[in-house]
């Protein structure tokens, strides 16, 4: 039997909400997830590798990907381009994997428009103070970058109502488990159970006709 298609999940959230750790734990703890690796023009942070955290490109290379229609969506975020490569996502969904895109809000809304069945999750710390504390403690960005990311958070907060679920990341393991159960419950929506419904309907129709099963 062919595997049902996977669920496309978009995870957004404030910079510093702990999305990276959340994704890492989700993939360590549960099977059947594929994390899409985005393309970006921003410089790698210490420890980041090409092809693992991101595909790092020059602006010219990135614009080439746009022209080739190789991205599902792309957006500009604090002076850099970020985009989702199309081929990998389609391949994994067709193989029945639940594919996670960790992208910002403009991209999230573009994906939802193109593929309305996409599940949109928004991750947030329990408070604004905690958000600031986490960004500063990460220690990977200059004060200037931190300030622009906090300013951006105010805009991003306005997008929260457009998401399907809000995940409050207070205790990481709890948040990972909640996220997993939300995604898994999507497999049981009527839309995603169409082939089962069809099969079951045909099978029970036999009872009505009084035929043997
Ligand atoms: P960072 O520079 O902290 O890794 O990412 C900055 C922002 O870009 C984050 O909000 C992240 O979710 C978003 N982002 C990462 N990849 C993509 C992508 O492929 N498309 C879009 N639209 N946003 C992305």
């Amino acid at each position: 039997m062919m595997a049902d298609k996977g669920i496309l999940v978009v995870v957004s959230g404030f910079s510093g909400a702990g999305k990276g750790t959340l994704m890492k734990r989700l993939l360590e703890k549960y099977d059947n997830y594929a994390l899409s690796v985005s393309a970006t023009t921003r410089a790698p942070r210490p420890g980041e590798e090409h092809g693992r955290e991101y595909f790092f490109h020059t602006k010219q290379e990135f614009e080439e990907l746009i022209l080739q229609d190789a991205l599902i969506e792309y957006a500009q975020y604090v002076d850099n381009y970020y985009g989702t490569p199309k081929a990998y996502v389609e391949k994994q969904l067709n193989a029945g994997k639940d594919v996670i895109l960790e992208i910002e809000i403009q991209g999230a809304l573009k994906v939802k428009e193109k593929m309305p069945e996409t599940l949109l999750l928004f991750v947030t710390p329990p408070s604004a103070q905690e958000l600031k504390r986490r960004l500063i403690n990460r220690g990977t960005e200059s004060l200037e970058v931190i300030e622009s990311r906090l300013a951006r958070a105010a805009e991003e907060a306005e997008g929260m109502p457009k998401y399907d679920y809000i995940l409050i990341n207070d205790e990481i393991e709890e948040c990972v488990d909640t996220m997993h159960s939300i995604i898994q419950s999507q497999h049981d929506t009527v839309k995603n159970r169409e082939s089962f419904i069809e099969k079951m309907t045909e099978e029970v129709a036999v009872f009505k006709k009084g035929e043997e099963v």
Side-chain angles (χ1 to χ4, degrees):
M1 202 176 82
M2 230 177 77
D4 279 337
K5 257 187 105 175
I7 310 280
L8 184 58
V9 185
V10 167
V11 178
S12 306
F14 305 118
S15 181
K19 285 171 303 204
T21 320
L22 196 59
M23 299 299 100
K24 192 166 165 274
R25 283 300 292 143
L26 183 80
L27 269 79
E28 279 168 1
K29 211 165 169 179
Y30 299 105
D31 291 332
N32 206 45
Y33 288 112
L35 187 62
S36 160
V37 177
S38 295
T40 184
T41 56
R42 89 144 157 75
R45 293 189 188 125
E48 286 186 336
E49 268 177 38
H50 181 79
R52 194 180 64 192
E53 280 78 15
Y54 283 104
F55 293 104
F56 296 99
H57 292 289
T58 60
K59 191 160 179 260
Q60 196 183 354
E61 286 166 349
F62 197 100
E63 283 167 353
E64 197 53 40
L65 293 175
I66 299 173
L67 287 177
Q68 289 164 359
D69 195 26
L71 304 173
I72 296 180
E73 61 71 41
Y74 67 93
Q76 236 172 333
Y77 178 91
V78 193
D79 298 336
N80 283 303
Y81 276 133
Y82 293 83
T84 308
K86 197 187 276 181
Y88 175 84
V89 172
E90 284 177 353
K91 186 167 160 229
Q92 297 295 329
L93 284 176
N94 288 333
K97 294 265 187 191
D98 294 333
V99 180
I100 317 249
L101 312 183
E102 197 225 296
I103 65 179
E104 53 64 69
I105 184 166
Q106 300 167 54
L109 299 179
K110 280 185 214 159
V111 174
K112 184 88 178 181
E113 212 177 283
K114 268 195 189 166
M115 301 161 161
E117 68 284 6
T118 306
L119 177 66
L120 299 189
L121 309 180
F122 192 94
V123 183
T124 169
S127 68
Q129 261 328 95
E130 178 62 14
L131 175 67
K132 191 171 171 187
R133 198 189 62 80
R134 288 186 195 176
L135 257 181
I136 291 170
N137 283 2
R138 185 157 77 180
T140 50
E141 272 95 5
S142 65
L143 201 59
E144 199 190 335
V145 172
I146 290 176
E147 273 168 8
S148 61
R149 288 186 174 216
L150 285 173
R152 169 91 185 205
E155 283 168 38
E156 285 172 334
E158 287 172 21
M160 283 198 279
K162 300 203 171 85
Y163 282 72
D164 297 311
Y165 289 87
I166 303 297
L167 276 173
I168 300 175
N169 184 13
D170 194 358
E171 205 284 305
I172 184 86
E173 292 305 317
E174 208 177 290
C175 191
V176 168
D177 294 344
T178 305
M179 184 173 171
H180 176 67
S181 52
I182 291 172
I183 299 170
Q184 292 318 303
S185 70
Q186 290 302 299
H187 285 281
D188 299 327
T189 60
V190 167
K191 182 92 190 68
N192 287 324
R193 287 284 184 218
E194 270 173 357
S195 55
F196 175 82
I197 292 173
E198 204 175 306
K199 175 179 161 283
M200 196 67 189
T201 309
E202 270 172 30
E203 285 178 6
V204 294
V206 172
F207 297 147
K208 205 167 130 192
K209 288 184 203 144
E211 287 169 20
E212 252 184 74
V213 186

